Amino acid sequence: MMQSGKHILLIPTAVLACIMCSSFGRSISIDRRGLVHAIGIDTAEHGYKVTMQIFQPTGGGADTAVDSTKPNITVAVSEGRTVGEAISAARSSTGKELFFGHLQLICIGRDVSLADPYALFAFALGDKNISPAAELCMAENTASELMEIRLSEEEISSEALSGVLKLSGEYTETVSCDLITLLTSDGHAAMPMLTALSEEKQNSSKQKEDSGDSGTEVSRSIKLKGTAVTESSDVLDRQQATAAAMLCGKADKACVVSKIGNFSVTSSLEDISAHRTIDLNNGRLLLTNRITLTARPDRQLDSRESDALAQAISARFRNECDRLQTEMLSRGEDIFGISQLIKHKFPELWLKNADNTDTLLAAVSVHTDVLVKVD
């Protein structure tokens, strides 16, 4: 009984200790927090310019109530010699304790070099709250332009940007990319490229009267421009991006139009999978890609037409994959992970050509088989 009584006394003591620790610890009120949802990185005269979309929760008793009709998001812009220094400057200028646990998207300006991604993203590697699965995209012009669009088009926010990327990647219109993919790549990676569009549209008559303007306003929107290849001037179009996603094992769904006889058939492509092997054939590296997929046409086909459709889809993607991979490897642009494949299968050959890997990749022969099941 005496021992039981001691245990009971320990409970309030432990609770009191927790309260004291939390009281004397670093406690930040909710209205002083800034939840970073997206980051844009551009070059600046003396380093980098960082543009962040920050959600600002408002705590109870705050002077300013939240306007539920508008997104409670602010845009912070700062500069520094490194991205990390620019983020530190943003903390000072906003007066907010920035939290990156909700970071969804990192957008990179076209002129930012990704030759040393570990140095560029040191801020992310040093913050345990930043997920390695954070999405990456490239801006056709500047990342700040994309980050600030929400100011003139309120439905465009970090969530909407991520939605554009997710849907485009799901339907294989681009090659999705995240932080860990870039950091583990061998110098090249593919990622979506977005562009900002401006369009003049007519205001309503009431808007004309209220504003007294000429009846036009500028609407800003986001569009998928293509698929960028890091450390290259290449931008893949939609057809090339579909082939690249298949070869990278990132294809989920796709849509293709095929000519069968005198009519066109639109097919949804699903259950896409890829397997690849590399071997030495007469002293030359031979890369074999095997892609399987299911095609679901938008009309009823007989057995002969189904066979013709399967052959048409197979030939199209076989030719596209062979051409794209051969062209990119000839320039040493390996977005497919072939370097890792060679390292694991032929480590001595890779070490022998360690100073001339581009030439080794350029000499790889490519063969693609595409097996299509029409359902």
Side-chain angles (χ1 to χ4, degrees):
M1 292 292 292
M2 182 70 69
Q3 191 173 11
S4 177
K6 289 181 179 179
H7 287 165
I8 293 173
L9 288 173
L10 284 174
I11 295 174
T13 303
V15 172
L16 181 61
C18 290
I19 294 173
M20 291 178 67
C21 287
S22 63
S23 299
F24 290 108
R26 188 168 180 265
S27 178
I28 301 173
S29 61
I30 191 170
D31 56 310
R32 286 193 55 221
R33 285 189 180 275
L35 309 182
V36 180
H37 283 194
I39 296 177
I41 302 173
D42 295 299
T43 57
E45 184 178 356
H46 300 294
Y48 296 94
K49 172 184 175 183
V50 171
T51 309
M52 291 181 285
Q53 284 192 0
I54 304 172
F55 175 77
Q56 297 185 104
T58 301
D63 295 334
T64 305
V66 175
D67 184 351
S68 60
T69 65
K70 296 181 179 179
N72 194 28
I73 290 178
T74 186
V75 172
V77 182
S78 56
E79 294 187 10
R81 289 167 297 177
T82 66
V83 176
E85 185 178 62
I87 289 175
S88 296
R91 286 191 176 97
S92 302
S93 63
T94 60
K96 298 287 182 181
E97 182 63 31
L98 302 181
F99 177 70
F100 294 89
H102 296 275
L103 181 65
Q104 300 174 352
L105 176 67
I106 301 174
C107 188
I108 306 160
R110 185 65 166 154
D111 58 350
V112 175
S113 173
L114 292 168
D116 188 355
Y118 280 90
L120 182 68
F121 294 105
F123 74 96
L125 299 175
D127 191 325
K128 63 181 180 181
N129 294 310
I130 296 180
S131 170
E135 292 180 285
L136 297 181
C137 74
M138 188 173 289
E140 183 185 24
N141 297 311
T142 64
S144 63
E145 185 179 31
L146 297 181
M147 293 296 101
E148 293 172 349
I149 276 184
R150 73 101 204 157
L151 297 175
S152 56
E153 192 81 16
E154 70 178 36
E155 68 268 24
I156 296 296
S157 63
S158 55
E159 290 83 1
L161 286 168
S162 294
V164 170
L165 297 176
K166 182 177 180 180
L167 196 61
S168 299
E170 182 181 354
Y171 284 89
T172 325
E173 296 172 352
T174 185
V175 182
S176 59
C177 186
D178 54 27
L179 187 56
I180 191 65
T181 298
L182 179 64
L183 293 175
T184 55
S185 66
D186 284 308
H188 292 88
M191 67 178 65
M193 174 183 280
L194 301 179
T195 188
L197 302 177
S198 298
E199 179 184 358
E200 287 190 353
K201 61 181 181 180
Q202 295 297 316
N203 289 328
S204 67
S205 57
K206 186 177 185 306
Q207 288 175 318
K208 293 179 187 179
E209 293 173 2
D210 293 343
S211 62
D213 62 15
S214 60
T216 61
E217 62 179 6
V218 176
S219 173
R220 305 298 304 279
S221 62
I222 297 289
K223 180 182 178 182
L224 178 68
K225 182 68 176 182
T227 300
V229 178
T230 61
E231 296 307 296
S232 169
S233 59
D234 292 346
V235 178
L236 308 182
D237 60 26
R238 186 168 297 186
Q239 184 170 319
Q240 292 172 320
T242 299
M246 288 182 173
L247 292 167
C248 293
K250 293 186 176 182
D252 188 6
K253 304 174 184 177
C255 180
V256 62
V257 178
S258 307
K259 188 78 171 178
I260 306 299
N262 297 323
F263 57 88
S264 297
V265 178
T266 302
S267 302
S268 297
L269 307 183
E270 300 176 8
D271 305 323
I272 305 170
S273 63
H275 177 72
R276 62 193 177 191
T277 57
I278 194 161
D279 298 288
L280 276 172
N281 185 19
N282 296 324
R284 182 167 181 157
L285 289 170
L286 173 63
L287 174 68
T288 303
N289 304 295
R290 292 182 176 87
I291 298 172
T292 61
L293 57 90
T294 299
R296 293 187 167 86
D298 61 351
R299 59 191 298 171
Q300 290 289 334
L301 301 176
D302 58 31
S303 59
R304 182 183 59 81
E305 292 168 338
S306 294
D307 290 343
L309 177 64
Q311 292 174 14
I313 295 175
S314 177
R316 171 175 176 172
F317 285 107
R318 180 176 65 247
N319 295 335
E320 186 64 42
C321 288
D322 278 350
R323 181 170 59 252
L324 176 68
Q325 203 163 46
T326 299
E327 288 178 357
M328 295 195 71
L329 291 178
S330 70
R331 298 190 295 266
E333 296 174 2
D334 179 20
I335 65 172
F336 314 102
I338 308 306
S339 299
Q340 292 295 332
L341 205 59
I342 300 174
K343 287 179 188 178
H344 293 156
K345 188 71 177 288
F346 304 106
E348 292 183 2
L349 179 63
W350 182 263
L351 289 174
K352 183 179 178 181
N353 294 273
D355 296 328
N356 202 13
T357 56
D358 286 358
T359 301
L360 182 63
L361 289 171
V364 174
S365 297
V366 176
H367 175 75
T368 305
D369 292 320
V370 181
L371 178 62
V372 179
K373 174 187 175 183
V374 178
D375 190 358

